[in-house]
């Protein structure tokens, strides 16, 4: 239990720091019509990924039964961003430091989720597939659609 809380606090700190860094990079346009353009909403993609990390780490801290699902959702979303960027679907706006930190956290969270390290509710194949699909949807929503 102590290990779980230490890991979750570390992930919470990383998620909070990245959230602040990504919020500070958001540019708020002048004029009303600029808020309805896709370029404005694309800025929120990195923030959405870091908020997923915050939610997953909070669930890990409290030992919620949906912890492994949220860890897997964050992991797939964070790893799909650089993957889609490399394939050429879109140009990711996540900075390099964010991509590196989020990828390391994503791999760690996926390991925690699939290994069921802390004996929380185990992921089924259906739920794991759903987390991949939702991760793809989040990435495409903020970057492509």
């Amino acid at each position: 239990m102590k290990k779980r809380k230490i890991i979750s606090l570390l992930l919470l700190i990383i998620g909070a720091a990245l959230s602040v860094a990504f919020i500070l990079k958001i540019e708020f346009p002048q004029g009303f019509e600029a808020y309805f353009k896709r370029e404005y909403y694309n800025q929120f993609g990195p923030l959405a990924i870091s908020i997923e990390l915050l939610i997953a780490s909070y669930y890990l801290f409290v030992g919620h039964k949906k912890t492994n699902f949220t860890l897997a959702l964050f992991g797939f979303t964070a790893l799909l961003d650089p993957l889609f960027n490399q394939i050429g679907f879109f140009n990711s706006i996540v900075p390099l430091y964010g991509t590196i930190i989020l990828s390391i956290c994503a791999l760690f969270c996926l390991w925690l989720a699939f290994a069921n390290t802390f004996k929380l509710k185990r992921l089924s194949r259906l739920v794991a597939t759903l987390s991949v699909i939702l991760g793809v949807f989040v990435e495409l929503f903020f970057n492509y659609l």
Side-chain angles (χ1 to χ4, degrees):
M1 183 159 147
K2 190 173 183 179
K3 258 186 182 179
R4 179 176 53 93
K5 291 196 177 201
I6 290 171
I7 290 171
S8 64
L9 284 175
L10 180 64
L11 290 173
L12 268 169
I13 291 168
I14 293 169
L18 287 175
S19 294
V20 169
F22 295 151
I23 285 174
L24 293 176
K25 290 184 84 87
I26 294 175
E27 296 178 12
F28 296 98
Q30 299 292 333
F32 190 67
E33 69 273 350
Y35 285 99
F36 296 104
K37 294 187 178 180
R38 187 170 57 121
E39 294 81 25
Y40 172 70
Y41 293 103
N42 288 353
Q43 300 179 86
F44 291 94
L47 181 62
I49 297 171
S50 63
I51 288 174
E52 282 183 9
L53 176 59
L54 285 173
I55 293 168
S57 56
Y58 172 73
Y59 275 10
L60 182 61
F61 185 80
V62 297
H64 195 274
K65 66 180 180 175
K66 298 287 185 187
T67 299
N68 287 332
F69 171 72
T70 57
L71 287 171
L73 177 62
F74 160 71
F76 286 123
T77 305
L79 287 178
L80 286 169
D81 188 72
L83 178 70
F84 285 167
N85 186 30
Q86 288 298 316
I87 291 173
F89 281 156
F90 55 80
N91 291 326
S92 176
I93 62 167
V94 178
L96 182 61
Y97 70 88
T99 300
I100 293 169
I101 293 171
L102 287 172
S103 295
I104 292 169
C105 289
L107 290 171
F108 182 65
C109 286
L110 283 173
W111 175 73
L112 287 174
F114 284 102
N116 198 16
T117 308
F118 299 113
K119 306 294 184 242
L120 299 167
K121 186 178 178 188
R122 192 161 190 83
L123 279 179
S124 67
R125 288 188 179 133
L126 177 68
V127 172
T129 305
L130 181 64
S131 65
V132 172
I133 292 169
L134 286 174
V136 168
F137 178 73
V138 168
E139 279 305 309
L140 293 179
F141 178 77
F142 284 108
N143 293 296
Y144 194 68
L145 300 178

